[in-house]
């Protein structure tokens, strides 16, 4: 071998888009280039505009663009593939450089920008291999476009330079006057440049972009960094071209997901934290991807000799199965053995079962609230509404693991709304005592009680570990964890928690007790805009301090900007404030997408039957348009009754359906149908939200108990609709019948 060949992550994406024959040709090209870059058939030549870039022939139509990175001590030349494209898209002016912020090798491609923007910036591109003139083709249009205000008005070239935008793109970015032009510019831009430009276009200030985008990926660079390409290569996401590349090319886009992380994502996944850390962000921003890569990073950092020292958990069973499948593709089998993947309720059940505690039948919160209402009527207690008192018990007493009336008198009740005097608390405590005794007598418990029981047992274990070791730190690394010795150590070395916004306070208490406090102990991925259960917590009060160790992701890789614009209107009215899993507030400012598509349709039908008929028509049309509709289209509604009616309407029209359950789709029908809750964590090419009607979403539940409880319920229902809408990648339809939901944007 006389040359070592690496592939830039953006070139990876181009290679995957080639057809099978050209992919095979690239494998042959790679093998030949590594043996002899100067082979005559490769026709390797430098571009005139940048001495670092060379072009070589893949076949008669396609060219491989490469950057020479120097020669190592063994005399092997290092080359980086930066693009693979048709020869008509190869220009002399293409450039490769080292970014002054990230220190990565970046390729600025001006060929995708468009003639209009290039003319505005006074840039002319020169084809490396000009096409023969076509006498029948009209000359290029050089008519001046109508003058329009720059899209990034108020931003200067100095600002863009300091934020890390690639130098060849700065003048072009300042010349852009519309979002379509910006999309074309960003399509060929390096990652940091794209993030900065989209952030500014989305309304973020220069200071916000500097803090939330640029600072997150900045590295310390020494003098001469711009000419040290080998060092820059070590900071750049690349694939090594070796003899396994033929199989790798067959894996498609999922391989790119495994290889490449956005710099902000990579920094969050691989950083060393001195305590619990959190990554947040809207739907499709890659929080779960970061969580999975965090697991990979932690596994690779483990010392040998410990069994299953890392926990990966989430709220629901079906999401746990999805995490397991994705992690299996990311890790080697031996690495996967060191991770335990289990949903939070199964984890609680394990703790309770180990203790030998009695088994009780668990009932829903709604069923428990009905039982509490019956008790209040029996006692003629009119000071409390059943729903308020149940939430008081679930969120304050169980949430803070309060065991005595004295503890309850002193407890913090932030966000509960209705003030309670000391006499009120005494009365509430008395009713709740009677209520829990009645539940116990009936042999039932709520999910909150179940979680609380597991948390208390795990706290007891952690206390015994601390007593043995003197400090609750890494000294508790005994491998034996049989029933007789289970108190010798904490259960896990690290824990990674996905969909964190939906966990109960007791879950956090249990998780905190399962991992020794210390470096890289808990890693938390979640978004309070997607909280669809009323389990609001303040992590700091539960011993999970994330302040100063938080990363916010703002770039969506799933939904189009048109879908996001509609979804954001659902959750972002001025009156709706979302917490940050602590005592602060979260924000959706700067949330944006690099994808474009049709504007979502909002269709209002006169009746529910008309709406079902319209649904059948739309799904029938979509099935005819999609080559393989199986699993690419989903229909959802807020409640299960509507789901049943939707399935009946579609199957009566000859359309096969698979209902979404806690274990995933039931059956192999083309169209997936489920509640909005079941859509959590999934994604589809096309989605229809049905019966977005007042009384269904938001749900009709009677008068509000107090303003704060009403606001919390409102946020939950908005979040549910937000989650459902952002499951769509390309196309979103929303239908309703009177009275239309107040959450829908007014067309």
């Amino acid at each position: 071998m006389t040359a070592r060949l690496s592939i830039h992550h953006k070139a990876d994406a181009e290679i995957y888009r080639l057809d099978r024959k050209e992919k095979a040709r690239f494998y042959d090209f790679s093998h030949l280039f590594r043996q002899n870059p100067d082979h005559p058939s490769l026709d390797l030549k430098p571009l005139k505009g940048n001495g670092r870039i060379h072009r070589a022939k893949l076949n008669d139509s396609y060219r491989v663009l490469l950057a020479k990175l120097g020669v190592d001590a063994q005399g092997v030349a290092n080359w980086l593939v930066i693009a693979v494209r048709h020869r008509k898209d190869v220009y002399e002016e293409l450039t490769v450089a080292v970014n002054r912020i990230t220190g990565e090798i970046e390729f600025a491609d001006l060929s995708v920008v468009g003639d209009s923007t290039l003319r505005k910036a006074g840039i002319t591109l020169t084809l490396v291999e000009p096409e023969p003139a076509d006498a029948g083709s009209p000359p290029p249009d050089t008519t001046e476009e109508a003058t329009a205000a720059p899209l990034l008005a108020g931003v200067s070239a100095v600002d863009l330079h300091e934020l890390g935008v690639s130098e060849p793109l700065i003048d072009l970015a300042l010349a852009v006057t519309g979002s379509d032009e910006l999309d074309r510019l960003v399509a060929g831009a390096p990652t940091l440049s794209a993030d900065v430009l989209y952030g500014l276009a989305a309304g973020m200030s220069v200071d916000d972009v500097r803090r939330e985008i640029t600072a997150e990926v900045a590295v310390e660079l020494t003098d001469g960094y711009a000419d040290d390409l080998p060092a820059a290569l070590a900071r750049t996401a690349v694939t090594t071209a070796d003899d396994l590349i033929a199989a790798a090319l067959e894996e498609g886009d999922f391989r790119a997901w495994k290889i490449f992380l956005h710099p902000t994502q990579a920094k969050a996944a691989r950083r060393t934290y001195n305590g619990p850390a959190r990554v947040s962000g809207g739907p499709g921003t890659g929080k779960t991807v970061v969580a999975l890569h965090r697991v990979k990073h932690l596994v690779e950092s483990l010392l040998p000799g410990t069994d299953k020292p890392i926990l990966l958990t989430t709220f629901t069973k079906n999401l746990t199965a999805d995490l397991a499948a994705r992690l299996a593709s990311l890790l080697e089998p031996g690495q996967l053995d060191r991770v335990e993947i289990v949903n939070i309720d199964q984890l609680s059940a394990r703790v309770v079962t180990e203790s030998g505690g009695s088994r009780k039948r668990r009932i829903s919160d709604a069923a428990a609230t009905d039982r509490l209402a019956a008790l209040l009527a029996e006692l003629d207690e009119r000071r409390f509404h059943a729903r308020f008192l149940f939430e008081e018990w679930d969120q304050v007493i169980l949430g803070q693991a309060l065991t005595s009336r004295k503890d309850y008198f002193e407890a913090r009740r932030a966000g509960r709304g209705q003030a309670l005097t000391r006499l009120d608390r005494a009365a509430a405590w008395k009713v709740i005592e009677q209520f829990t005794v009645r539940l116990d007598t009936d042999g039932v418990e709520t999910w909150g009680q179940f979680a609380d029981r597991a948390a208390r047992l795990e706290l007891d274990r952690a206390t015994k570990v601390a007593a043995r070791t003197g400090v609750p730190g890494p000294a508790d690394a005994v491998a034996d964890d049989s029933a007789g010795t289970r108190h010798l150590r904490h259960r896990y070395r690290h824990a990674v928690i996905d969909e964190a916004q939906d966990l109960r306070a007791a879950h956090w208490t249990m998780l905190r007790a399962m991992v020794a406090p210390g470096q890289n102990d808990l890693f938390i991925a979640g978004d309070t805009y997607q909280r669809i259960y009323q389990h609001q917590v303040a992590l700091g009060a539960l011993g999970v301090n994330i302040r100063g160790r938080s990363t916010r992701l703002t770039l969506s890789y799933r939904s189009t900007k048109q879908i996001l614009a509609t979804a954001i209107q659902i959750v972002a009215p001025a009156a709706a404030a979302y917490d940050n899993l602590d005592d602060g507030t979260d924000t959706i400012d700067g949330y944006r997408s690099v994808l474009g598509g049709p504007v979502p349709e909002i269709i209002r039908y006169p009746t529910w039957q008309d709406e079902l008929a319209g649904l059948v028509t739309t799904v029938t049309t979509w099935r005819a348009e999609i080559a393989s509709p199986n699993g690419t289209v989903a229909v959802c509604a807020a409640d299960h009754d509507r789901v049943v009616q939707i399935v009946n309407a579609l199957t009566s029209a000859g359309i096969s359906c698979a209902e979404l359950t806690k274990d995933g789709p039931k059956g192999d029908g083309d169209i997936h149908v489920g509640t909005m809750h079941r859509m959590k964590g999934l994604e589809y090419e096309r989605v229809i939200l049905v019966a977005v009607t007042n009384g269904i979403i938001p749900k009709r539940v009677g008068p509000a108990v107090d303003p704060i409880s009403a606001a919390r319920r409102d946020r939950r229902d908005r979040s549910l609709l937000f989650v459902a809408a952002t499951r769509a990648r390309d196309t979103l339809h929303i239908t309703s019948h009177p009275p239309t939901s107040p959450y829908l944007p007014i067309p």
Side-chain angles (χ1 to χ4, degrees):
M1 182 178 71
T2 62
R4 182 175 292 107
L5 196 61
S6 301
I7 306 171
H8 194 274
H9 66 86
K10 292 192 70 122
D12 255 337
E14 294 182 337
I15 295 167
Y16 293 137
R17 287 195 292 267
L18 298 175
D19 64 29
R20 184 179 295 271
K21 183 178 179 181
E22 287 161 341
K23 284 180 181 177
R25 180 69 186 96
F26 182 81
Y27 167 69
D28 294 337
F29 169 91
S30 300
H31 181 77
L32 179 58
F33 191 97
R34 288 162 51 229
Q35 299 305 315
N36 179 15
D38 296 318
H39 192 282
S41 67
L42 300 179
D43 193 25
L44 182 67
K45 295 178 180 178
L47 301 186
K48 295 177 182 177
N50 187 312
R52 287 175 168 171
I53 299 183
H54 293 62
R55 67 111 174 101
K57 290 182 66 174
L58 182 65
N59 56 25
D60 288 342
S61 299
Y62 282 85
R63 302 293 178 259
V64 180
L65 300 180
L66 309 102
K68 190 172 184 179
L69 307 183
V71 179
D72 64 20
Q74 287 73 42
V76 177
N78 286 298
W79 290 83
L80 177 66
V81 176
I82 56 175
V84 178
R85 61 207 27 207
H86 198 280
R87 58 189 176 84
K88 67 181 177 61
D89 295 319
V90 179
Y91 295 83
E92 299 286 3
E93 290 79 11
L94 299 178
T95 63
V96 66
V98 179
N99 186 273
R100 57 196 167 279
I101 301 295
T102 65
E104 297 179 356
I105 296 173
E106 61 180 23
F107 169 51
D109 184 4
L110 307 187
S111 65
V112 299
V113 172
D115 292 341
S116 172
T117 306
L118 290 170
R119 285 198 300 273
K120 290 176 187 176
I123 296 174
T124 301
L125 299 181
T126 306
L127 278 169
V128 172
E129 301 177 58
E131 296 287 333
D134 185 350
S137 299
D141 181 14
T142 58
T143 305
E144 286 297 318
E145 292 83 2
T147 303
L151 188 65
L152 302 182
V155 179
S156 70
V158 172
D159 292 330
L160 296 184
H161 176 85
E162 291 178 349
L163 293 174
V165 174
S166 181
E167 288 293 344
L169 302 181
I170 290 178
D171 288 342
L172 286 164
L174 296 175
V176 164
T177 57
S179 58
D180 289 344
E181 288 184 351
L182 181 65
D183 288 343
R184 288 194 294 271
L185 174 63
V186 166
T191 302
L192 178 58
S193 297
D195 286 355
V196 168
L197 295 177
Y198 267 134
L200 293 169
M204 296 176 72
S205 69
V206 170
D207 287 342
D208 286 343
V209 171
R210 181 180 292 110
R211 181 178 63 255
E212 296 189 21
I213 297 177
T214 304
E216 284 295 323
V217 299
V219 299
E220 291 188 15
L221 298 173
T222 59
D223 292 340
Y225 73 89
D227 297 317
D228 192 351
L229 291 181
L233 179 64
R235 295 186 288 263
T236 306
V238 299
T239 307
T240 299
D242 54 27
D243 290 331
L244 298 177
I245 194 170
L249 289 172
E250 296 298 318
E251 293 189 38
D253 291 339
F254 191 71
R255 184 170 181 272
W257 170 82
K258 289 194 293 182
I259 295 168
F260 176 65
L261 282 176
H262 181 283
T264 304
Q265 295 173 332
K267 194 168 184 178
R270 298 165 185 159
R271 181 182 293 168
T272 297
Y273 299 96
N274 293 318
R278 178 204 178 198
V279 60
S280 65
T285 54
K287 298 181 298 299
T288 297
V289 170
V290 171
L292 292 172
H293 278 272
R294 180 64 177 174
V295 173
K296 183 177 188 295
H297 172 74
L298 292 171
V299 167
E300 292 171 345
S301 304
L302 284 172
L303 296 174
T306 53
D307 181 38
K308 295 191 184 222
I310 296 176
L311 169 69
L312 174 60
T313 188
T314 190
F315 188 68
T316 62
K317 187 177 179 181
N318 60 322
L319 289 183
T320 306
D322 180 63
L323 290 176
R326 295 170 72 175
L327 194 64
S329 183
L330 188 60
L331 298 183
E332 300 296 329
Q335 294 176 323
L336 196 61
D337 290 341
R338 312 193 75 182
V339 184
E340 188 167 301
I341 310 168
V342 59
N343 91 291
I344 196 70
D345 287 325
Q346 291 172 318
L347 190 60
S348 300
R350 180 183 305 163
V351 173
V352 172
T353 300
E354 281 182 5
S355 73
S358 61
R359 296 180 62 86
K360 297 181 180 180
R361 180 171 62 88
R362 286 180 285 281
I363 59 175
S364 68
D365 289 356
T369 302
D370 289 342
R371 289 175 179 241
L372 181 55
L375 177 60
L376 288 172
E378 182 183 319
L379 297 174
D380 196 28
E381 174 57 73
R382 303 182 183 183
R383 277 175 288 189
F384 310 111
H385 190 286
R387 193 165 59 251
F388 169 81
L389 194 57
F390 178 84
E391 291 177 359
E392 183 75 7
W393 173 54
D394 188 63
Q395 296 177 20
V396 178
I397 296 174
L398 291 179
Q400 298 181 40
L402 307 178
T403 58
S404 69
R405 188 172 71 165
K406 179 178 180 295
D407 291 339
Y408 179 47
F409 283 171
E410 298 172 354
R412 182 175 177 268
R413 297 181 64 255
R416 288 294 298 133
Q418 181 177 328
L420 296 181
T421 65
R422 190 176 181 85
L423 289 176
D424 289 335
R425 293 201 194 197
W429 182 266
K430 184 176 180 180
V431 173
I432 289 168
E433 276 189 322
Q434 293 175 272
F435 177 57
T436 54
V437 168
R438 185 165 293 189
L439 291 178
D440 188 57
T441 301
D442 293 342
V444 299
E445 66 182 342
T446 67
W447 286 96
Q449 283 180 294
F450 179 62
D452 179 66
R453 192 148 54 116
R456 292 177 190 276
L457 290 166
E458 199 62 25
L459 278 172
D460 180 62
R461 172 183 174 134
T463 300
K464 292 176 179 177
V465 170
R468 181 184 65 82
T469 62
V471 290
D476 56 351
V478 178
D480 188 0
D481 198 25
S482 63
T485 59
R486 65 176 179 268
H487 297 309
L488 291 180
R489 64 167 187 165
H490 290 83
R491 291 179 189 268
Y492 304 104
R493 178 70 64 185
H494 311 286
V496 176
I497 303 102
D498 194 28
E499 299 293 350
Q501 72 279 352
D502 288 325
L503 270 61
R504 298 174 183 270
H507 292 147
W508 289 110
T509 300
M510 178 182 71
L511 289 168
R512 176 65 284 176
M514 286 180 164
V515 182
Q519 197 174 78
N520 298 327
D521 48 2
L522 303 179
F523 188 83
I524 300 160
D527 173 26
T528 56
Y529 282 86
Q530 297 184 69
R531 181 188 285 126
I532 59 176
Y533 304 95
Q534 286 191 314
H535 304 153
Q536 188 163 335
V537 300
L539 292 180
L542 300 170
V544 181
N545 181 16
I546 58 175
R547 294 185 184 180
R549 292 186 292 272
S550 293
T551 302
R552 189 168 77 98
L553 306 177
T554 55
L555 184 63
S556 174
Y557 299 90
R558 179 198 298 142
S559 300
T560 66
K561 62 185 67 177
Q562 291 80 7
I563 291 171
L564 288 187
T566 297
I568 287 171
Q569 290 181 69
I570 293 169
V571 293
Y578 292 76
D579 67 281
N580 65 350
L581 286 177
D582 223 329
D583 287 330
T585 57
D586 210 346
T587 179
I588 207 164
D589 292 347
Y591 181 37
R592 61 209 188 279
S593 172
V594 299
L595 307 172
V599 175
E601 286 196 46
I602 300 176
I603 308 170
R604 293 171 170 84
Y605 292 94
T607 69
W608 170 231
Q609 291 306 315
D610 291 327
E611 190 174 351
L612 286 174
L615 170 67
V616 170
T617 299
T618 299
V619 172
T620 301
T621 301
W622 284 2
R623 288 180 76 210
E625 294 173 350
I626 301 172
S628 177
N630 186 269
T632 63
V633 175
V635 182
C636 71
D639 60 51
H640 190 259
D641 287 344
R642 266 69 183 186
V643 168
V644 172
Q645 295 178 60
I646 290 166
V647 170
N648 289 338
L650 292 175
T651 54
S652 296
I655 300 171
S656 62
C657 299
E659 185 175 346
L660 297 174
T661 70
K662 65 180 180 180
D663 298 314
K666 183 180 180 181
D668 57 359
D670 284 347
I671 309 302
H672 289 186
V673 184
T675 63
M676 292 180 180
H677 283 86
R678 292 290 180 219
M679 295 285 283
K680 184 79 167 176
L682 305 177
E683 63 178 59
Y684 296 89
E685 288 181 18
R686 307 187 189 197
V687 171
I688 306 177
L689 310 185
V690 178
V692 185
T693 293
N694 198 6
I696 300 174
I697 179 79
K699 187 177 180 180
R700 187 179 296 110
V701 293
V705 176
D706 61 82
I708 291 183
S709 295
R712 186 183 296 122
R713 192 189 314 158
D714 179 72
R715 287 193 297 271
R716 178 202 63 198
D717 289 345
R718 287 184 183 275
S719 292
L720 183 61
L721 188 57
F722 177 68
V723 166
T726 52
R727 300 310 95 191
R729 295 205 308 257
D730 304 319
T731 305
L732 172 66
H733 280 198
I734 304 174
T735 68
S736 69
H737 60 275
T740 298
S741 172
Y743 298 159
L744 286 184
I746 298 174

